[in-house]
Amino acid sequence: MQEKNRGLALFTLLVFLFLLGPLLIISVTSFEGGNILKFPPEEFSLRWYENIFNVEMFLVAFKTSILVSLGGNLLALLLGVPAAYALSRYDFKGKSVINAFFVSPILIPGIVLGFAFLRYIVGTYQLPIYAALFVGHTVIMLPFIIRVISSSLSNFDFSIEEAAESLGASKLGTFFTVVLPNIKSGILAAVMIAFLESFNNVDISVYMTGPGVSTFPIQMLTYVENYFDPTISAISVLLMFITAFFMFIVERLMGLSYFTKR
Amino acid sequence: MKKRYLYLLLLPGVLFLTIFMIIPILLTIGTTFFTESGFSIQGYLDFFRDRYFIEILLTTLRVSLFTTIICILLGFPAAYYISKLKQRKKVIMLLLTIFPLLTSPVVRSFSWMVIIGKNGVVNKLLMGMGLIEKPLDILYTPTAIIIGLVHLFLPLIIVTLVGVMENIETDLLKAAESLGASRLAVFSKVIIPLSVPGLVIGSILVFVGSFTAYTTPALLGGKQRVISTFLYQNAITLNEWQVASIVATIMIAVTVLIISIMNGLAKKLNPKG
């Protein structure tokens, strides 16, 4: 029995080596002092981290990504919070259909969604690329916002809300003073998960590039196609730091349950 | 609650998704069935007669199938091990599983370019040990895409399976063992059947994800096209929007088909009925 567990432990260790090894290797290559990406690096240097800030296109794309993710997040919250509230608070006919409807952007292949955006939202609706990018990101963030906030609302005791109302508070007043403060950690977690989803998105953004408009991951793809130096390694390390930080916060706010329930 | 308010709360989101997702998608699908002379499926007939396209479709399906199988083979035992750990260790292992999942696919695919490239870590190591004389061509092949996709989706299946396995009662396993079942029998007769719902959900996520993934095949596949890079190429490089729409529709159809087959399967196999 003990022996079998040892075998299983070794197997799991190898699986994790496979999962995390590449991320470790890429991190190490970011400290290379030479011009070519190598593993192991021959001399230590931080010059490629400096280089990120010298490449103008990365700075512009980073700004675009941040603005699109934050703006899209805000719009997704404005659309998603009322929907999540209605879905958690009330029973009504067709509820499961509406629920499925709000999750549907996840089910449609991203690369197909991006193409449909390009053809109809940029093409037929004549939205400028920047606006289309923003709307596209809102669409993919909406399901995450609704899901996380719904699960946060499912832990909320709605009788508190009824108590406030019976004491004379208005419907809207109750929502802002009783419901919202109670689910604020859920909202923050939703925002962070949606942000990561949008910030890392390639499938939709890859179609929405124009003069001066490109998101950060798309700029990375373009860079990798043309250069093979440790700049991307250095960027990867920075992105991993951001990911780890967000994960830490989400874990604090919601626990791991968000990630393990599907 | 007045119905009016309920609709008012749902309306903005429903309208937004309808205008910016449903209509564009329906139009994309719709246009593939119409030519200047009216309704026609000629586009599809031409398509399925094209050897080049069929090859791409088959490569994509094969790559997705291998990815799913490898993910199950690697993920199932690892998930089982993690689900048996004590709470603290389990949380650490899950955090380590989720971390790559949330890391940019560009970063993860790029890391594999560094590892399996001509001058990559693997080739240097094998040549250094004298096992091979010239570097192996792994990068820019279907194998490279499979490696990248397994790396992309393995965390997803592990996390899904741990979620299901955690809910298997330890008492049930003890009961089976006390009734004389061997460890292997417990594993194959109790654990595997009870994990089936999670296994099915995990497999759908991996298969559909692999079938539609863009970043990984774009970086690791080189000239080797899969259906998503083929769609992008037709839309952007070749400006063949009609062809791209047909490819998009086929991708949606395959995705829907796989999800419904697997859902049916899950219902049938679920021991709880």
Side-chain angles (χ1 to χ4, degrees):
Chain A
M1 192 164 132
Q2 202 54 43
E3 201 137 300
K4 191 182 163 175
N5 272 342
R6 218 175 282 160
L8 202 56
L10 185 68
F11 183 86
T12 309
L13 185 74
L14 290 175
V15 165
F16 274 80
L17 202 64
F18 170 77
L19 280 181
L20 300 168
L23 299 179
L24 203 66
I25 288 177
I26 202 177
S27 305
V28 172
T29 59
S30 70
F31 299 109
E32 170 65 50
N35 287 325
I36 304 161
L37 201 145
K38 278 193 226 63
F39 182 86
E42 275 159 18
E43 45 186 311
F44 176 86
S45 149
L46 289 174
R47 57 183 279 214
W48 299 107
Y49 286 90
E50 215 183 304
N51 192 43
I52 305 173
F53 300 97
N54 294 331
V55 183
E56 166 113 21
M57 62 178 185
F58 280 131
L59 295 181
V60 176
F62 188 75
K63 225 174 93 190
T64 305
S65 270
I66 295 279
L67 284 176
V68 165
S69 300
L70 288 181
N73 227 318
L74 192 66
L75 183 56
L77 279 176
L78 288 175
L79 300 166
V81 173
Y85 176 77
L87 288 166
S88 317
R89 179 76 171 85
Y90 303 106
D91 265 318
F92 54 93
K93 237 168 99 184
K95 186 171 160 175
S96 60
V97 177
I98 299 282
N99 230 330
F101 178 78
F102 279 124
V103 187
S104 62
I106 300 182
L107 300 176
I108 295 170
I111 200 78
V112 170
L113 209 52
F115 170 64
F117 279 147
L118 175 68
R119 186 160 181 191
Y120 294 102
I121 293 180
V122 179
T124 310
Y125 297 180
Q126 295 281 315
L127 237 58
I129 288 189
Y130 210 96
L133 194 60
F134 170 72
V135 167
H137 278 245
T138 306
V139 168
I140 54 159
M141 281 191 256
L142 197 54
F144 292 95
I145 295 279
I146 290 184
R147 237 168 45 173
V148 178
I149 293 177
S150 292
S151 89
S152 177
L153 277 168
S154 68
N155 294 325
F156 177 70
D157 183 1
F158 283 107
S159 60
I160 302 173
E161 191 193 34
E162 276 157 24
E165 273 171 50
S166 72
L167 290 171
S170 71
K171 192 93 200 145
L172 211 61
T174 314
F175 181 77
F176 282 106
T177 53
V178 178
V179 183
L180 222 46
N182 268 294
I183 58 164
K184 62 173 191 282
S185 62
I187 292 177
L188 191 56
V191 166
M192 297 201 138
I193 289 161
F195 183 88
L196 279 182
E197 201 58 39
S198 157
F199 192 83
N200 288 336
N201 178 277
V202 169
D203 295 15
I204 288 170
S205 317
V206 76
Y207 293 100
M208 316 275 176
T209 52
V213 187
S214 183
T215 65
F216 200 64
I218 305 307
Q219 208 55 260
M220 283 170 75
L221 276 182
T222 318
Y223 194 86
V224 170
E225 273 163 23
N226 298 311
Y227 312 91
F228 200 73
D229 66 35
T231 309
I232 297 292
S233 307
I235 288 178
S236 302
V237 173
L238 295 183
L239 289 182
M240 281 188 254
F241 266 112
I242 297 175
T243 308
F245 176 69
F246 275 39
M247 238 181 92
F248 174 74
I249 306 249
V250 172
E251 203 266 332
R252 273 292 145 96
L253 293 172
M254 300 206 57
L256 275 172
S257 66
Y258 168 74
F259 300 106
T260 49
K261 272 189 201 121
R262 246 159 238 287
Chain B
M1 175 76 176
K2 290 182 192 126
K3 273 259 152 72
R4 252 189 327 167
Y5 290 122
L6 183 65
Y7 293 138
L8 218 58
L9 291 172
L10 294 171
L11 196 65
V14 171
L15 265 182
F16 184 83
L17 278 191
T18 307
I19 295 172
F20 292 115
M21 187 191 78
I22 303 293
I23 293 177
I25 290 289
L26 287 181
L27 285 173
T28 305
I29 298 171
T31 51
T32 62
F33 293 102
F34 287 96
T35 56
E36 280 133 26
S37 52
F39 180 85
S40 154
I41 54 162
Q42 195 55 44
Y44 289 91
L45 293 179
D46 292 345
F47 233 75
F48 286 103
R49 260 188 242 124
D50 184 355
R51 287 261 308 275
Y52 179 61
F53 173 71
I54 293 295
E55 206 134 292
I56 287 172
L57 185 62
L58 288 180
T59 305
T60 315
L61 287 171
R62 207 164 42 228
V63 161
S64 311
L65 187 68
F66 275 120
T67 304
T68 311
I69 292 170
I70 297 170
C71 277
I72 293 172
L73 292 178
L74 295 179
F76 198 92
Y80 180 63
Y81 179 76
I82 295 171
S83 75
K84 291 269 151 246
L85 288 172
K86 295 221 169 59
Q87 193 57 30
R88 226 189 115 68
K89 276 189 183 169
K90 194 195 290 179
V91 169
I92 293 171
M93 293 294 264
L94 280 174
L95 285 173
L96 289 176
T97 318
I98 295 160
F99 178 68
L101 200 58
L102 295 178
T103 302
S104 163
V106 181
V107 171
R108 298 170 69 190
S109 303
F110 181 67
S111 69
W112 282 102
M113 294 176 77
V114 176
I115 294 171
I116 57 179
K118 261 223 158 74
N119 298 311
V121 180
V122 168
N123 273 325
K124 267 199 197 152
L125 204 69
L126 290 178
M127 287 195 349
M129 294 195 304
L131 288 173
I132 50 170
E133 273 176 13
K134 54 178 194 200
L136 298 172
D137 285 314
I138 315 173
L139 193 58
Y140 306 136
T141 63
T143 310
I145 302 178
I146 294 173
I147 294 174
L149 288 175
V150 169
H151 190 244
L152 207 57
F153 293 116
L154 187 55
L156 204 59
I157 205 160
I158 292 181
V159 165
T160 311
L161 282 172
V162 170
V164 175
M165 286 170 174
E166 267 182 331
N167 295 328
I168 299 177
E169 305 265 344
T170 336
D171 290 350
L172 203 64
L173 306 182
K174 281 192 189 131
E177 270 176 45
S178 71
L179 290 171
S182 69
R183 275 190 83 83
L184 197 67
V186 172
F187 192 72
S188 65
K189 294 252 164 69
V190 182
I191 293 164
I192 292 182
L194 285 176
S195 306
V196 162
L199 202 56
V200 172
I201 295 171
S203 307
I204 294 178
L205 293 173
V206 176
F207 193 93
V208 171
S210 310
F211 185 76
T212 58
Y214 172 78
T215 313
T216 303
L219 279 177
L220 303 179
K223 287 200 174 63
Q224 174 66 57
R225 296 254 167 270
V226 292
I227 196 157
S228 60
T229 50
F230 183 63
L231 167 62
Y232 178 78
Q233 183 195 28
N234 273 288
I236 298 293
T237 323
L238 307 173
N239 261 314
E240 292 271 7
W241 284 19
Q242 192 58 17
V243 175
S245 296
I246 291 180
V247 177
T249 307
I250 294 172
M251 284 179 81
I252 294 175
V254 172
T255 307
V256 169
L257 191 73
I258 292 164
I259 293 177
S260 42
I261 290 175
M262 294 296 258
N263 269 337
L265 203 69
K267 277 202 189 107
K268 239 186 200 168
L269 291 174
N270 192 342
K272 285 170 195 154

